[in-house]
């Protein structure tokens, strides 16, 4: 079907170039730009750079989906690629470079492009075992440096994500009878929309035993300043991920494990230790209990142990 959309651009390559040159987040945010560049490559590869904007409708998205699936792309990857094109087109609309007709089925009431997403199957995140976490920290410290080892430890033994532990300052560490990390308590400490500020007690052999020595050393070096305890060690998440992957390969850990899986593993360990879900939710900072429930992994031996308690 040919749309009645009018445009100053002829093809989707031009609208992508315009967005990368003028859309603020695509220009200035490193992670967003890299993600959009990757997604746009898929769109341009399968639709072709000269694909006309006036033909960019739902049937074109169906064709894009079919061709991407033929090349073993997941529904999730298609949805991200589709969203990158939809975002670029709507940026063109907002800048009055593209003029749409709301009578078209793929144009919403605000005159913006809207394409259907494909259902995504939730794939469980890999979970590492405690001895694997210990091995990764040890190998990182011996072969890749203390900064990488400390970053793995703070994530896997506290459940904090990269965007949280890189913001930690000395004032976020509270020493006392029960020392704790206060995540998100500063006005300039940014937490994600679906995450809540929280206290993480530094107790027990796993969390306290592993993190207190690391935090004390970094605290002493940064007390009285606003220097991030860990953030200055890394330029961005991609750099950290590349170094993390070296340790993962060295230790022969599941290749699908990512830095985020460290947080995921910490949450899973809490659940496997029979910590009540509301407490796990609070420790992880989940806004909804349903998010916490997504972390539950029930193995066969867990089921056997449950029956054995009767």
């Amino acid at each position: 079907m040919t749309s009645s959309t009018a445009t100053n651009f002829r093809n989707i390559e031009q609208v992508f170039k315009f967005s990368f040159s003028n859309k603020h987040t695509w220009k200035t945010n490193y992670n967003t730009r890299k993600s959009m560049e990757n997604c746009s490559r898929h769109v341009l590869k399968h639709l072709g750079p000269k694909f006309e904007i006036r033909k960019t409708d739902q049937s074109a998205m169906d064709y894009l989906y079919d061709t991407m699936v033929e090349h073993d792309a997941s529904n999730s990857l298609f949805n991200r690629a589709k969203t990158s094109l939809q975002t670029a087109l709507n940026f063109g609309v907002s800048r009055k470079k593209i003029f749409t007709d709301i009578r078209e089925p793929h144009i919403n009431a605000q005159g913006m492009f809207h394409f259907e997403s494909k259902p995504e199957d939730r794939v469980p995140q890999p979970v590492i075992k405690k001895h694997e976490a210990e091995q990764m920290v040890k190998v990182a410290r011996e072969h890749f440096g203390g900064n990488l080892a400390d970053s793995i430890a703070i994530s896997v033994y506290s459940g904090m994500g990269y965007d949280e532990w890189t913001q930690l300052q000395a004032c976020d560490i509270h020493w006392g009878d029960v020392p704790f990390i206060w995540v998100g308590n500063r006005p300039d400490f940014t937490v994600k929309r679906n995450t809540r500020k929280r206290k993480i007690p530094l107790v027990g052999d796993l969390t306290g035993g592993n993190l207190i020595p690391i935090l004390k050393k970094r605290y002493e070096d940064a007390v009285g300043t606003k220097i991030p305890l860990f953030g200055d060690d890394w330029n961005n998440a991609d750099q950290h991920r590349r170094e993390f992957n070296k340790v993962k390969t060295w230790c022969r850990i599941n290749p699908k494990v990512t830095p985020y899986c460290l947080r995921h593993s910490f949450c899973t360990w809490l659940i496997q230790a029979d910590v009540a879900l509301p407490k796990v939710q609070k420790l992880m900072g989940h806004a909804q209990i349903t998010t916490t429930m997504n972390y539950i992994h029930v193995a066969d031996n867990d089921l056997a142990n449950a029956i054995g308690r009767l």
Side-chain angles (χ1 to χ4, degrees):
M1 183 182 80
T2 300
S3 168
S4 58
T5 299
T7 174
N8 291 348
F9 304 118
R10 289 186 177 182
N11 55 59
I12 59 175
E13 183 179 43
Q14 291 174 320
V15 79
F16 271 126
K17 286 182 177 179
F18 179 75
S19 295
F20 281 116
S21 298
N22 297 279
K23 188 171 175 58
H24 180 72
T25 53
W26 288 24
K27 285 174 58 180
T28 60
N29 187 293
Y30 177 85
N31 290 332
T32 299
R33 184 176 184 86
K34 295 297 289 185
S35 176
M36 290 300 103
E37 285 176 347
N38 180 55
C39 292
S40 65
R41 278 195 293 270
H42 287 285
V43 176
L44 296 173
K45 174 183 176 181
H46 295 292
L47 285 184
K50 304 306 179 185
F51 192 87
E52 296 180 35
I53 293 175
R54 65 188 183 88
K55 295 181 179 179
T56 307
D57 54 16
Q58 187 58 51
S59 62
M61 293 303 100
D62 293 339
Y63 173 79
L64 175 63
Y65 174 73
D66 291 339
T67 55
M68 288 185 67
V69 169
E70 287 177 4
H71 288 79
D72 298 323
S74 64
N75 283 12
S76 177
L77 179 56
F78 163 76
N79 286 339
R80 293 197 299 273
K82 179 267 302 180
T83 299
S84 72
L85 177 57
Q86 180 176 289
T87 302
L89 290 168
N90 286 335
F91 181 67
V93 173
S94 69
R95 291 298 183 92
K96 302 189 184 308
K97 299 292 184 180
I98 300 174
F99 303 93
T100 57
D101 186 344
I102 61 173
R103 292 173 296 180
E104 295 290 341
H106 60 284
I107 305 297
N108 65 20
Q110 288 72 43
M112 296 294 183
F113 288 82
H114 179 75
F115 304 121
E116 296 176 3
S117 297
K118 298 297 181 181
E120 297 183 16
D121 295 328
R122 178 174 288 277
V123 179
Q125 291 280 343
V127 175
I128 64 172
K129 298 178 180 178
K130 293 176 185 177
H131 74 269
E132 291 177 322
E134 183 180 351
Q135 180 190 16
M136 291 186 74
V137 173
K138 181 179 179 181
V139 167
R141 197 170 302 282
E142 291 178 353
H143 300 282
F144 298 94
N147 288 344
L148 182 58
D150 289 354
S151 72
I152 294 173
I154 191 67
S155 187
V156 78
Y157 295 133
S158 74
M160 285 189 288
Y162 175 89
D163 58 320
E164 292 179 332
W165 56 259
T166 50
Q167 295 185 70
L168 284 180
Q169 296 178 9
C171 60
D172 299 316
I173 312 300
H174 295 257
W175 304 106
D177 293 338
V178 181
F180 62 89
I181 304 171
W182 203 331
V183 180
N185 192 51
R186 300 192 324 265
D188 60 338
F189 197 124
T190 305
V191 294
K192 291 183 177 179
R193 178 175 54 84
N194 58 347
T195 305
R196 298 290 182 263
K197 65 180 183 180
R198 63 199 186 277
K199 295 179 180 179
I200 302 175
L202 296 170
V203 296
D205 293 336
L206 192 70
T207 297
N210 285 291
L211 294 186
I212 285 178
I214 294 172
L215 291 172
K216 275 193 172 180
K217 183 179 185 306
R218 290 180 177 256
Y219 178 89
E220 291 168 359
D221 294 339
V223 66
T225 73
K226 292 187 177 181
I227 298 173
L229 296 184
F230 298 89
D232 282 355
D233 296 345
W234 308 101
N235 295 324
N236 53 67
D238 283 343
Q239 180 205 14
H240 180 258
R241 187 181 299 108
R242 287 193 296 270
E243 295 302 308
F244 174 87
N245 287 341
K246 294 177 184 178
V247 178
K248 176 181 67 178
T249 302
W250 186 295
C251 297
R252 298 182 180 180
I253 302 293
N254 182 344
K256 294 184 179 180
V257 167
T258 66
Y260 175 78
C261 294
L262 301 179
R263 169 175 164 83
H264 185 85
S265 298
F266 178 76
C267 183
T268 303
W269 296 344
L270 290 172
I271 293 171
Q272 290 175 340
D274 293 330
V275 177
L277 285 182
K279 294 180 180 178
V280 177
Q281 177 191 4
K282 193 167 184 178
L283 286 168
M284 298 301 295
H286 294 152
Q288 304 293 333
I289 193 71
T290 51
T291 305
T292 311
M293 294 177 69
N294 289 331
Y295 284 70
I296 298 176
H297 300 268
V298 182
D300 290 341
N301 60 333
D302 293 329
L303 295 174
N305 291 337
I307 295 295
R309 293 173 187 168
L310 296 178

